[in-house]
Structure formats: structure tokens, C-alpha cells
């Protein structure tokens, strides 16, 4: 936890917060903080600053906080991601939040197993939990928007053209395609498929919506590796 992320419910006064959950445990067991210590803090959806630990017991931590700096800028990106397997989804959500992706669309694909859509990790509270872990890691306060689309064709035909309008549309897919561009200027809409890749029909439909297929080379990458590699290359 590189940022102690606070929410309005934590405040007991204008500049005072009380913590009694996993953040308290983290202060005790990881930071080994003592009264008087200064910690980096951020208000969820707001600014960042410093917090001074006033009191620490086994039951609660009390801090005096001050916010004086904005969160880091987000990437100019909409990320379309074929729903990964549940255990990988948790890691991907953290990665997306850590790397500053402002909007994530979890999308169906022919190679996405139907059972993946039944995972409790898709519940709003579970998604939020992983995103917050990513924000804490990267010292950010603004949650990405997460959109769930269980029907590939209606989304790609009806919503994607408008979503991608005014952006550079790209589809990450292995094959005889141009290399993924580097250091792109301007907003990007990027689609990344499942580990088995998009099927040809899906690549064609994404291309019809304005997304150009590109590749990272001959190696087949895990989803979270592909996300990190493509974002690092693009931005």
C-alpha cells in the first residue's frame, strides 16, 4: 500500500479520520507506524496529500489529514478486454487501475468460457476491491469506469463505433499484421482478446468498427502481460 486511500465515511471531523479495517492492520503490521508518523493519503475520487498519525491502538487509528495535490493524469485510453479467467481477472483489474486506465470494457468472446460470467469476482463490490488495491499501489485516487458487455456482436455493431469515434482504434492480435505503434499521440481505443486470441470473425467485426489489428511479435502472451506490454508501448 503506497497510498492510504480514504473515503468520506472515514471522516469524523473536517480533517480527522478513523480507520478500523484492513488499513488499520496494514498500518500495524506492514508500516509498523507509530504516533507522529507522516503517511501519504488520498481521498477516493479527489486529491492527495499527507496524513499525520495521531493515535494507534489495536482497535483503531486516528489521523489528521491535509490534501494539497491532484491525482496523476489518466491515460487517454478506452480498453476493451475479453473477459479473462476469474483468478486472472483480479490481477488484471489491479493492473488496469495501477496503470491509469480510465475506462475498461469487459467483453464476451467466442473463446471466453460461459462459466467465467458466473464468477463472484464480477460483482461490483469485488471489482471495486481490486481496483482500489491497484490505486493504492500506484498512488492514484480515481476509480476506472468498468463496463460489462456480455454480447459481443450488439456491442461491437451498435456501441463501439460511437465509443471509438475520434480515437485511434487498435486490436491486439497475433498474426501477419503491422507492429503495434509506439508513443501514440491522442486518445486510443484498444481491444485485447482472450489467451487463445480473437477468432477471425471477431477481428473482422472489430475492424469494421474502426479498430486496426496490430501485433507485438510471435510470442503468445498471458492477458495481464499483453495489457502491460501494449500500454507501455502505446504510451
Amino acid at each position: 500500500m503506497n497510498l492510504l486511500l480514504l473515503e468520506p465515511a472515514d471522516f469524523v471531523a473536517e480533517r480527522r479520520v478513523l480507520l478500523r479495517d484492513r488499513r488499520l492492520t496494514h498500518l500495524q503490521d506492514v508500516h509498523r507506524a507509530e504516533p507522529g508518523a507522516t503517511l501519504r493519503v488520498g481521498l477516493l475520487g479527489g486529491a492527495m496529500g499527507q496524513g499525520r498519525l495521531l493515535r494507534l491502538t489495536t482497535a483503531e487509528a486516528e489521523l489528521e489529514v491535509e490534501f494539497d495535490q491532484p491525482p496523476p493524469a489518466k491515460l487517454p485510453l478506452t480498453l476493451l478486454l475479453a473477459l479473462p479467467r476469474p483468478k486472472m481477472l483480479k490481477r488484471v483489474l489491479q493492473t488496469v487501475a495501477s496503470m491509469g486506465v480510465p475506462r475498461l470494457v469487459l467483453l464476451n468472446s467466442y473463446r471466453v468460457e460461459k462459466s467465467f460470467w458466473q464468477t463472484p469476482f464480477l460483482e461490483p463490490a469485488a471489482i471495486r476491491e481490486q481496483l482500489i488495491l491497484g490505486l493504492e499501489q500506484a498512488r492514484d485516487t480515481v476509480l476506472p469506469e468498468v463496463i460489462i458487455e456480455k454480447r459481443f456482436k450488439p456491442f461491437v455493431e451498435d456501441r463501439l463505433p460511437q465509443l471509438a469515434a475520434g480515437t485511434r482504434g487498435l486490436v491486439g492480435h497475433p498474426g501477419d499484421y503491422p507492429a503495434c505503434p509506439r508513443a501514440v499521440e491522442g486518445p486510443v481505443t484498444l481491444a485485447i482478446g482472450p489467451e487463445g486470441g480473437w477468432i477471425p470473425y471477431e477481428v473482422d467485426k472489430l475492424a469494421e468498427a474502426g479498430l486496426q489489428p496490430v501485433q507485438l511479435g510471435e510470442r503468445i502472451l498471458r492477458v495481464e502481460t499483453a495489457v502491460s506490454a501494449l500500454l507501455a508501448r502505446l504510451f
Side-chain angles (χ1 to χ4, degrees):
M1 182 187 296
N2 296 318
L3 182 74
L4 191 62
L5 201 52
L6 307 172
E7 302 191 41
D10 299 322
F11 284 78
V12 294
E14 183 178 357
R15 295 177 55 196
R16 296 287 180 92
V17 297
L18 285 181
L19 305 179
R20 300 187 178 95
D21 55 14
R22 67 174 182 86
R23 295 166 296 177
L24 168 63
T25 304
H26 193 87
L27 289 176
Q28 295 168 329
D29 298 344
V30 179
H31 280 288
R32 300 187 182 278
E34 297 182 353
T38 300
L39 305 164
R40 293 180 181 272
V41 299
L43 179 61
L44 188 64
M48 303 189 302
Q50 302 290 326
R52 184 166 65 90
L53 185 59
L54 302 176
R55 181 169 56 88
L56 181 64
T57 71
T58 56
E60 62 186 20
E62 182 179 5
L63 295 93
E64 182 180 47
V65 298
E66 181 176 359
F67 305 105
D68 57 4
Q69 62 186 91
K74 297 291 191 184
L75 299 177
L77 174 71
T78 294
L79 177 61
L80 277 57
L81 187 66
L83 182 67
R85 63 184 67 254
K87 288 185 178 180
M88 187 178 294
L89 173 62
K90 296 172 65 177
R91 299 194 297 270
V92 168
L93 288 170
Q94 291 185 35
T95 298
V96 164
S98 294
M99 298 192 75
V101 175
R103 180 190 292 142
L104 170 67
V105 179
L106 293 172
L107 183 61
N108 197 22
S109 167
Y110 179 81
R111 292 193 171 115
V112 170
E113 295 184 21
K114 292 182 179 180
S115 62
F116 291 1
W117 292 104
Q118 308 305 316
T119 176
F121 296 144
L122 279 175
E123 293 295 325
I127 290 175
R128 187 177 188 273
E129 178 183 2
Q130 300 306 317
L131 295 177
I132 284 179
L133 292 174
L135 294 181
E136 291 174 343
Q137 171 64 36
R139 293 180 183 167
D140 192 358
T141 66
V142 181
L143 288 166
E145 176 188 11
V146 178
I147 302 168
I148 296 176
E149 293 286 350
K150 296 184 179 181
R151 301 175 65 200
F152 177 87
K153 184 178 178 181
F155 169 74
V156 172
E157 290 184 344
D158 300 336
R159 295 191 57 196
L160 181 55
Q162 182 177 1
L163 197 65
T167 73
R168 183 166 185 178
L170 301 171
V171 181
H173 190 65
D176 187 19
Y177 299 111
C180 179
R182 295 180 182 271
V184 174
E185 295 185 3
V188 174
T189 299
L190 172 65
I192 299 177
E195 287 193 10
W198 305 105
I199 63 173
Y201 167 82
E202 292 167 343
V203 175
D204 291 343
K205 295 300 290 184
L206 290 165
E208 289 175 10
L211 277 60
Q212 173 193 6
V214 295
Q215 49 85 16
L216 276 173
E218 297 180 357
R219 299 180 184 274
I220 304 300
L221 305 176
R222 292 184 181 273
V223 172
E224 71 263 36
T225 305
V227 169
S228 299
L230 283 163
L231 297 193
R233 187 174 180 117
L234 287 168
F235 303 104

